[in-house]
């Protein structure tokens, strides 16, 4: 699988993509003798995925990880489906709560790649990742250098790290897989990020049966517009948060992408759930609040928190 082939598949019609995904799902279920589950986040993508999987296997199990960092609309939607006849949905939980993870590892801010690089540059500067983060591997093809405008956060009192997603989502899912012997069908798309595109190309297709990475990604070649078209065509019910203006869901107070002007996550949280917003903003790392850290990161791009005025940005 190369990038050109991926682009060709992404240009297919929705009908072609649906047929492809149903074939991917059927192959995965058959190869593993039905020992599979759907990783169900409650978001629009995984709602489409679950619908496709139920076409192939109506009684398929779905698993939702309630991280403690979910939109109330998402949790409510998942519980409604769980109580709907014909759906088999199990809810699991991480070992640690978001506040504990923020304090232990650092804040999830900017992006997974940049936050990992900042942490490596700050705590492991002599490692390969640390040297790459600090730009000390000139002339070598090694990604992971911290963009100049974010390099100052190496000296911050608070930590920035990408461990949050692992602790809240990946670890509980892996434990579930280990304890049950079931393998995951996930709703990620290659178009979502450069990392996911690279991962898909390395995997070589939508299904992987390679040792530790046995998983299915039936939506890999889909695009955002395909998801919405499928939802319209099938008349699927989705979580109410999308009707309230959410562009993406995921963890409610994840800071990844909030530094962009077109990201409305913080504004939406503040308007809809002000108590939860203030609660999360008071989480700490090394004595620094999430509010203080987020404020400084947003300021790099001339942005500010929705409940603060620009003139009080650095008060």
């Amino acid at each position: 699988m190369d990038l050109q082939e991926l682009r060709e598949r992404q240009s297919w019609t929705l009908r072609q993509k649906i047929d492809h995904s149903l074939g991917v799902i059927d192959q995965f279920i058959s190869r593993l003798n039905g020992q599979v589950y759907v990783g169900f986040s409650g978001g629009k993508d995984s709602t489409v995925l679950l619908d496709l999987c139920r076409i192939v296997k109506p009684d398929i199990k779905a698993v939702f990880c309630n991280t403690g960092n979910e939109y109330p609309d998402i949790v409510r939607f998942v519980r409604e489906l769980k109580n709907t006849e014909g759906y088999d949905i199990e809810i699991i939980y991480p070992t640690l709560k978001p506040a504990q993870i923020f304090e232990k590892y650092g804040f999830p801010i900017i992006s997974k790649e940049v936050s990992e690089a900042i942490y490596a540059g700050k705590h492991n500067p002599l490692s390969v990742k640390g040297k790459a983060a600090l730009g000390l591997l000139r002339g070598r093809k090694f990604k992971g250098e911290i963009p100049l405008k974010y390099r100052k956060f190496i000296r911050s009192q608070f930590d920035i790290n990408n461990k949050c997603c692992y602790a809240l989502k990946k670890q509980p899912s892996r434990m579930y897989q280990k304890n049950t012997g079931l393998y995951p069908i996930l709703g990620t798309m290659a178009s979502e990020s450069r990392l996911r595109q690279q991962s898909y190309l390395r995997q070589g297709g939508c299904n992987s049966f390679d040792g530790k990475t046995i998983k299915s990604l039936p939506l890999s070649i889909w695009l955002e517009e395909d998801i919405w078209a499928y939802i319209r065509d099938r008349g699927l019910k989705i979580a109410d948060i999308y009707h309230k203006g959410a562009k993406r869901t995921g963890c409610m107070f994840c800071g990844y992408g909030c530094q962009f002007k077109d990201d409305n996550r913080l504004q939406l949280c503040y308007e809809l759930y002000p108590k939860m917003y203030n609660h999360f903003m008071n989480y700490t790392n090394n004595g620094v609040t999430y509010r203080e850290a987020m404020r400084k990161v947003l300021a790099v791009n001339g942005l500010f928190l929705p409940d603060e005025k620009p003139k009080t940005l650095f008060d």
Side-chain angles (χ1 to χ4, degrees), residues 28 68 100 130 198-199 203 219 246 311 313:
F28 192 72
Q100 295 172 304
Q198 291 174 341
S199 177
Q203 185 169 300
L219 300 182
K311 66 180 181 181
L313 198 60

Side-chain angles (χ1 to χ4, degrees), residues 45-86:
D45 300 347
S46 68
T47 298
V48 167
L49 175 66
L50 181 56
D51 190 67
L52 288 166
C53 289
R54 281 170 50 79
I55 293 174
V56 178
K57 183 176 169 49
D59 63 344
I60 194 166
K61 176 179 283 293
V63 177
F64 171 70
C65 184
N66 190 341
T67 64
N69 197 1
E70 309 293 329
Y71 286 100
D73 310 65
I74 292 290
V75 176
R76 184 165 54 249
F77 176 65
V78 171
R79 293 192 183 281
E80 287 175 358
L81 278 187
K82 178 177 171 62
N83 293 325
T84 300
E85 185 177 354

Side-chain angles (χ1 to χ4, degrees), residues 266-267 270-271 277-278 281-282 289-299 302-315:
L266 293 177
Q267 183 70 41
Y270 175 63
E271 291 175 355
Y277 174 89
N278 287 319
M281 283 296 170
N282 284 321
T289 65
Y290 194 36
R291 172 183 291 278
E292 294 173 281
M294 184 68 76
R295 177 191 292 157
K296 291 179 180 179
V297 170
L298 292 177
L303 303 176
F304 52 93
L305 291 166
D307 58 333
E308 296 183 344
K309 298 179 180 180
K311 66 180 181 181
T312 65
L313 198 60
F314 300 106
D315 286 355

Side-chain angles (χ1 to χ4, degrees), residues 65-68 92-101 104-105 164-176 179:
C65 184
N66 190 341
T67 64
I92 62 175
Y93 301 87
T95 303
L96 299 175
K97 297 183 182 300
Q100 295 172 304
I101 294 169
K104 183 175 182 179
Y105 298 114
C164 192
C165 185
Y166 174 79
L168 286 179
K169 292 185 175 182
K170 291 184 179 180
Q171 188 175 46
S173 295
R174 289 176 182 176
M175 286 302 300
Y176 179 84
N179 292 336

Side-chain angles (χ1 to χ4, degrees), residues 1 11 17 27 79 108 112 142 148 160 173 221 251 256 262 277 312-313:
M1 175 69 66
S11 70
K17 291 177 180 178
Q27 180 199 44
R79 293 192 183 281
K112 287 185 179 180
F142 197 98
L148 287 176
I160 294 177
S173 295
I221 64 172
C251 287
Y256 292 146
D262 62 347
Y277 174 89
T312 65
L313 198 60

